[in-house]
Amino acid sequence: MASINTTDKIPNNVNLANDRTLQRALEHWQPHFIDWWQHLGPSDFQTADVYLRTATSVDADGWASYGAVQMPNYRWGIFLADPVADRRIGFGDNMGQPAWQQVPGEFRSTLRRLIVTQGDTEPASVEQQRLLGHTCPSLYDLRNLFQVNVEEGRHLWAMVYLLHAYFGRDGREEAEELLARHSGDADKPRILTTFNEPISDWLSFYCFTYFTDRDGKYQLKSFAESAFDPLSRTCRFMLTEEAHHMFVGETGIGRVVKRTLEVMKELGTDDPAKIRAAGAVDLPLLQKYLNFWCSSSLDLFGSEVSSNSAANFANGLKGRPDESQYEDHVLRAAHFKLQTPKGVEDVPMLNALNEVMRESYLKDCEIGLKRWNRAIERAGHAFRLALPSPHFRRSIGAWVDAPVTPEGKVIPREEFEKRRYEWIPAEADRAFVRSLMQRVVAPGRMAGWVAPPERGINNLPVDYEYVRLS
Ligand SMILES: [Fe+2]
Ligand SMILES: [Fe+2]
């Protein structure tokens, strides 16, 4: 079984000790990573004891061991899911051939670019969230934030391992660049726009982990299908960690809804002004945050029609999430009916794979909505939360800047401009949410805008001291 060697400087299940050159190169990168973490990781909590889970092996019962750790001492390691014997390429023009254990020369630069783009999002999100600890609604939430942060750090390790192990000198240079770009930096920003916006309130954090980490899930799922086997194995293990990030988002928004419903009941009203005066998030305001984060995460899938994604699929670099659920894995003869502002267009399926992925992502996003709406319905209210139309507020692709309502209706541009802040947070909305963000750090206490979780972490009580502040 693939258990790790914990006496190594870098915990790993890839036999690093047998490859001295690679081990030395990664040990050289390690202090740069720690330095980055100290300067751009969570601000101010580096000496706190945090109750964190650490991966100690990739099998079902060993991958999550819990204990109090100071974050800079977290054991970031390199873990690949166990190999599948005689794994074959599952899609594209090379379907059925053996998966690659090395990078084929002709795909070297494309694969490197894909790995770098994925890798760049991991430290970016840590940077975006670095100030959130100061306004945590509870110790339970603070711990979850830091758990997400250290795991995004580990995901960076996962991508840096691939760059060092399979891409030679170029890979080592890219690994340095991953620490040199910074979220929001004027000269050296992160690669994708969404990852350059600061996340300065916890409602945004819950939305980010619900929508944007879920984009991460779909990217990882499509890489898990890759013909490049080390990438596939790396991403398969990352997915087990990613699930917790979306749990934080789904339960976080669920707790906001629960608290709002309690306040509505206490006050006997659904008047947003009264709910806000009582220090809770009214449901229409929550809807604006969902509209904002869902639409910006949809852009991460890229343009509806893309020759890059066609080539990546045909060449076996990147599959569809859950490729095995489809019947046709080659797609040379398939077509896709694409909705554009000009009407329905018939495009080759291979070119529409970003859209295919976006559709399955949106289906996955519905799960939380159903749960939150059930709570609203049980409380006897007619209001329902909804995902915005995928044509709403898009900044790339066929629907770029189209004046479309969250319900998907095309309206005159002036009307769209006039009504924009009925649909996404206006500055006054954001200021109100910021005003709610007061730090609560007594064990078991919660800020007034969010209900306590149903259970604690790893069977511990909710009032456990998940972070011991020093
Ligand atoms: Fe990640
Ligand atoms: Fe994540």
Side-chain angles (χ1 to χ4, degrees):
M1 263 288 103
S3 69
I4 63 162
N5 184 347
T6 43
T7 58
D8 282 349
K9 259 194 189 168
I10 304 167
N12 70 88
N13 70 351
V14 293
N15 253 326
L16 209 49
N18 284 357
D19 187 340
R20 291 291 299 144
T21 315
L22 177 58
Q23 185 177 31
R24 257 197 306 272
L26 285 165
E27 283 178 5
H28 178 76
W29 185 80
Q30 188 174 34
H32 301 177
F33 170 82
I34 298 292
D35 193 55
W36 165 81
W37 180 271
Q38 294 273 16
H39 289 99
L40 287 157
S43 140
D44 253 17
F45 293 90
Q46 306 285 358
T47 58
D49 286 312
V50 187
Y51 186 76
L52 293 174
R53 75 174 180 196
T54 306
T56 59
S57 79
V58 295
D59 34 59
D61 38 65
W63 74 274
S65 58
Y66 288 86
V69 196
Q70 293 188 349
M71 286 184 281
N73 300 329
Y74 189 77
R75 302 276 290 154
W76 283 282
I78 299 163
F79 307 104
L80 272 59
D82 289 331
V84 174
D86 189 35
R87 180 168 173 258
R88 301 275 155 166
I89 301 172
F91 62 93
D93 296 343
N94 303 315
M95 182 159 169
Q97 292 176 18
W100 315 320
Q101 298 309 322
Q102 291 295 330
V103 181
E106 68 265 45
F107 303 136
R108 194 182 162 89
S109 65
T110 311
L111 264 175
R112 192 183 62 213
R113 192 72 202 151
L114 290 170
I115 291 168
V116 165
T117 306
Q118 176 63 38
D120 195 66
T121 66
E122 314 286 359
S125 68
V126 176
E127 294 166 351
Q128 288 174 288
Q129 296 163 13
R130 65 186 303 267
L131 297 177
L132 277 176
H134 296 288
T135 55
C136 64
S138 72
L139 287 182
Y140 165 89
D141 287 283
L142 186 61
R143 177 266 167 206
N144 281 344
L145 166 70
F146 294 156
Q147 183 70 58
V148 170
N149 291 162
V150 294
E151 283 173 350
E152 301 304 6
R154 208 202 66 72
H155 292 174
L156 172 61
W157 271 96
M159 294 298 122
V160 163
Y161 164 72
L162 293 175
L163 290 169
H164 272 242
Y166 296 96
F167 294 89
R169 192 191 161 149
D170 300 352
R172 289 194 295 279
E173 281 170 10
E174 292 284 12
E176 293 298 328
E177 286 297 298
L178 282 167
L179 297 175
R181 284 184 294 270
H182 298 143
S183 179
D185 193 288
D187 301 321
K188 269 187 163 258
R190 291 295 177 184
I191 296 170
L192 303 170
T193 323
T194 315
F195 291 87
N196 284 301
E197 312 281 350
I199 298 172
S200 45
D201 68 76
W202 281 75
L203 191 56
S204 296
F205 175 63
Y206 293 152
C207 291
F208 183 93
T209 43
Y210 189 78
F211 290 108
T212 313
D213 279 279
R214 193 179 309 272
D215 160 73
K217 168 182 166 179
Y218 274 73
Q219 301 299 336
L220 294 177
K221 271 174 166 286
S222 62
F223 286 131
E225 305 289 339
S226 180
F228 179 41
D229 200 46
L231 175 61
S232 161
R233 291 172 57 201
T234 301
C235 291
R236 268 187 281 143
F237 182 62
M238 288 163 78
L239 279 165
T240 53
E241 294 167 317
E242 204 60 56
H244 174 259
H245 308 181
M246 278 161 290
F247 163 87
V248 169
E250 182 178 336
T251 54
I253 296 172
R255 289 161 55 208
V256 172
V257 170
K258 187 174 176 198
R259 179 63 194 140
T260 300
L261 293 171
E262 285 167 7
V263 170
M264 286 163 80
K265 193 172 173 192
E266 282 159 24
L267 300 177
T269 179
D270 58 5
D271 177 356
K274 289 186 179 141
I275 293 161
R276 288 192 192 192
V281 177
D282 54 290
L283 296 177
L285 176 56
L286 174 58
Q287 179 64 60
K288 288 185 185 183
Y289 272 73
L290 299 182
N291 288 344
F292 179 87
W293 284 100
C294 184
S295 54
S296 83
S297 302
L298 285 174
D299 277 341
L300 292 168
F301 291 92
S303 290
E304 287 83 352
V305 177
S306 161
S307 52
N308 281 344
S309 71
N312 290 344
F313 185 89
N315 292 330
L317 309 185
K318 198 175 172 186
R320 286 167 295 185
D322 306 303
E323 185 62 45
S324 63
Q325 70 173 326
Y326 297 96
E327 258 163 43
D328 178 356
H329 300 290
V330 182
L331 303 178
R332 283 287 174 194
H335 285 256
F336 185 87
K337 296 239 177 293
L338 181 73
Q339 266 200 54
T340 76
K342 292 181 210 103
V344 177
E345 274 174 35
D346 191 62
V347 294
M349 180 64 90
L350 269 181
N351 292 70
L353 292 179
N354 288 345
E355 192 59 13
V356 170
M357 200 154 145
R358 190 163 18 238
E359 281 178 357
S360 54
Y361 164 84
L362 278 170
K363 249 185 231 146
D364 205 50
C365 287
E366 287 286 355
I367 296 168
L369 272 289
K370 280 199 190 109
R371 200 161 295 168
W372 308 326
N373 279 334
R374 237 182 331 225
I376 298 171
E377 189 179 0
R378 267 201 305 268
H381 300 283
F383 190 92
R384 295 291 177 269
L385 296 164
L387 293 177
S389 155
H391 306 152
F392 171 68
R393 213 177 73 94
R394 295 296 306 285
S395 8
I396 48 166
W399 293 88
V400 60
D401 287 334
V404 178
T405 68
E407 293 76 32
K409 198 171 157 231
V410 181
I411 56 173
R413 185 162 299 279
E414 306 97 85
E415 185 187 349
F416 181 83
E417 294 305 334
K418 224 186 294 159
R419 297 181 61 192
R420 179 188 293 266
Y421 294 109
E422 288 175 30
W423 301 316
I424 59 168
E427 187 40 46
D429 297 320
R430 292 188 182 279
F432 168 70
V433 169
R434 272 199 302 274
S435 77
L436 296 179
M437 300 295 128
Q438 306 288 338
R439 169 184 179 124
V440 178
V441 289
R445 289 286 303 279
M446 293 289 141
W449 56 270
V450 61
E454 265 158 43
R455 55 190 73 84
I457 300 297
N458 194 28
N459 296 321
L460 290 173
V462 171
D463 63 1
Y464 183 80
E465 196 174 355
Y466 288 102
V467 181
R468 205 155 295 157
L469 303 166
S470 45

